Amino acid sequence: MNSDNGNFRPCGDACGTMPSCAPLSVPYVPFQQEGSQKYDQTNALANGTLFPGLNLPFHLKVDAGSFPDNQSTQLQALLFVVTELGMYLDTHKDDAEAFQLFRQYAQLAKEGKRRYEEMHGPLTQLSAGQDAAYRWLDDPWPWDFHQEGGAD
Amino acid sequence: MFVYEKKLQYPVRIKNCNPKLAAVIISQYGGPYFVNLLLNSCNKSIISCKKHRSTVYSRKNPAQEILRRVNFMPLYHCNINACKVYSALRCINEYNIHNSFIQENRACKAVSLSGFFVRISKKYNSHRNTQRKNAITVRLYDNCLFLEEILYKMPSLQEAFLCAMVEMCSCIPFA
């Protein structure tokens, strides 16, 4: 999911820009550039960040393929991308390409939640109101361990 | 404001029963008291936001940005950590504990909040080599059940906390 939308990007993908003028004696961190490269959702969840440029080498290598391939993980991956893109947009609200991607993922996550709730019961107490019976208290809860899957 | 969702942000996979690991993870909550847990994570978030102020310095109201991050992150992390603790202790069922006993304790809410993390890990450490090990482990397990109950209610605690934070953050100077 690379991106090259013609933005002016003076630095490489793993680098950011700094203010040309800034108050003295204040430390700064580089500002992430628009149009940064992005992982797909499964790799984003496995790496703990959506952006390869922010994936610093001191972490333990995680194998994205080792996640159980179930609805729960897929939903986690979708919502993780929404969270990550949301945090990015908070500081880059004019990045139209990122916002377009945000809209797509928000739609996917909404659909994913709907399908998950059909299979596994309500995710929030509010959505428990749509069922014929009160299923909010049904197991499993997130802390109920399932073989190979964590909360499934 | 914050809504509990019956899911985690990240999958928890702890395959083996390991009460010692559970005690270590509990120490990650940040302090001996539950209130300290909230305070500590908020303090850390404020510090990290201050360090990263170049990413928020142009916003009209940086305090809002800080508050938003302060309040989301600890919730995610606490939920995941609590599930790790719970997973590490789930084999307690195999210690001949009656299921009904556990159910009964799940319903029991009369546990004091203050000092509860320290108390259980200290007790576990000091008695881990004695015959009382199983009994202590069960207590740890009970407390984890209770911990889940707290996390379930935590969003509303956080919300109340937010109001106090607004006051604090309004005086943070920004470059």
Side-chain angles (χ1 to χ4, degrees):
Chain A
M1 216 171 282
N2 200 347
S3 55
D4 186 15
N5 59 353
N7 284 336
F8 177 59
R9 301 177 65 214
C11 315
D13 195 63
C15 301
T17 54
M18 301 284 272
S20 53
C21 299
L24 294 173
S25 73
V26 175
Y28 280 88
V29 293
F31 198 83
Q32 192 178 8
Q33 301 173 100
E34 290 193 3
S36 303
Q37 290 186 17
K38 297 171 188 71
Y39 290 119
D40 64 36
Q41 67 259 38
T42 316
N43 280 313
L45 185 69
N47 286 296
T49 176
L50 179 63
F51 303 99
L54 288 173
N55 195 2
L56 301 181
F58 46 71
H59 65 101
L60 288 171
K61 180 75 182 157
V62 181
D63 179 13
S66 71
F67 278 133
D69 185 26
N70 56 30
Q71 250 187 329
S72 171
T73 315
Q74 285 163 12
L75 183 61
Q76 276 168 340
L78 286 175
L79 289 168
F80 183 72
V81 173
V82 173
T83 306
E84 282 280 286
L85 276 172
M87 285 172 72
Y88 172 83
L89 283 167
D90 281 350
T91 49
H92 300 72
K93 71 182 172 69
D94 296 324
D95 188 337
E97 190 213 352
F99 181 59
Q100 187 54 34
L101 201 59
F102 181 79
R103 283 164 56 107
Q104 287 171 16
Y105 270 105
Q107 193 57 40
L108 283 173
K110 195 177 168 188
E111 180 63 17
K113 267 191 185 179
R114 193 187 59 74
R115 271 185 280 121
Y116 183 93
E117 289 186 325
E118 274 177 10
M119 293 269 296
H120 303 278
L123 278 169
T124 63
Q125 203 162 24
L126 186 67
S127 56
Q130 294 165 0
D131 294 338
Y134 192 63
R135 292 172 65 201
W136 174 245
L137 297 174
D138 292 359
D139 289 337
W141 286 83
W143 52 86
D144 289 332
F145 181 85
H146 286 238
Q147 202 61 40
E148 298 299 317
D152 182 78
Chain B
M1 183 167 196
F2 296 103
V3 178
Y4 181 86
E5 278 195 331
K6 235 170 147 177
K7 60 177 265 308
L8 293 181
Q9 193 187 29
Y10 192 85
V12 167
R13 291 172 300 170
I14 293 180
K15 290 200 166 90
N16 302 317
C17 178
N18 193 340
K20 198 172 178 181
L21 173 68
V24 170
I25 297 172
I26 281 180
S27 73
Q28 296 301 303
Y29 279 96
Y33 303 108
F34 186 66
V35 176
N36 276 359
L37 152 71
L38 290 176
L39 281 172
N40 278 350
S41 30
C42 290
N43 281 339
K44 280 176 196 159
S45 300
I46 286 181
I47 289 164
S48 103
C49 281
K50 277 168 136 179
K51 278 184 190 157
H52 290 70
R53 79 174 100 188
S54 63
T55 61
V56 292
Y57 74 108
S58 61
R59 293 173 61 85
K60 281 175 192 162
N61 192 345
Q64 273 184 8
E65 174 67 11
I66 286 181
L67 287 168
R68 204 179 58 75
R69 297 193 173 197
V70 158
N71 276 277
F72 278 128
M73 294 310 169
L75 281 176
Y76 290 150
H77 297 165
C78 289
N79 259 324
I80 292 171
N81 275 340
C83 290
K84 282 185 195 162
V85 172
Y86 197 94
S87 289
L89 292 174
R90 72 188 180 285
C91 62
I92 306 300
N93 271 323
E94 296 155 16
Y95 283 50
N96 299 326
I97 312 295
H98 253 251
N99 201 32
S100 59
F101 171 73
I102 288 169
Q103 289 298 333
E104 199 176 306
N105 279 276
R106 192 196 280 262
C108 173
K109 296 174 185 176
V111 183
S112 154
L113 270 180
S114 56
F116 122 144
F117 292 109
V118 163
R119 207 165 58 230
I120 55 176
S121 46
K122 268 187 186 162
K123 275 186 180 164
Y124 174 69
N125 284 331
S126 60
H127 294 296
R128 64 185 171 188
N129 293 323
T130 72
Q131 291 176 335
R132 294 182 59 198
K133 177 179 176 180
N134 285 0
I136 298 302
T137 316
V138 169
R139 194 167 304 143
L140 195 55
Y141 184 77
D142 289 345
N143 278 314
C144 285
L145 290 171
F146 181 66
L147 176 63
E148 285 305 338
E149 209 166 291
I150 297 170
L151 287 172
Y152 179 55
K153 291 172 182 158
M154 210 159 113
S156 48
L157 278 175
Q158 288 281 92
E159 200 173 335
F161 200 72
L162 181 68
C163 301
M165 293 296 299
V166 171
E167 200 69 23
M168 276 170 66
C169 282
S170 60
C171 59
I172 296 177
F174 282 91

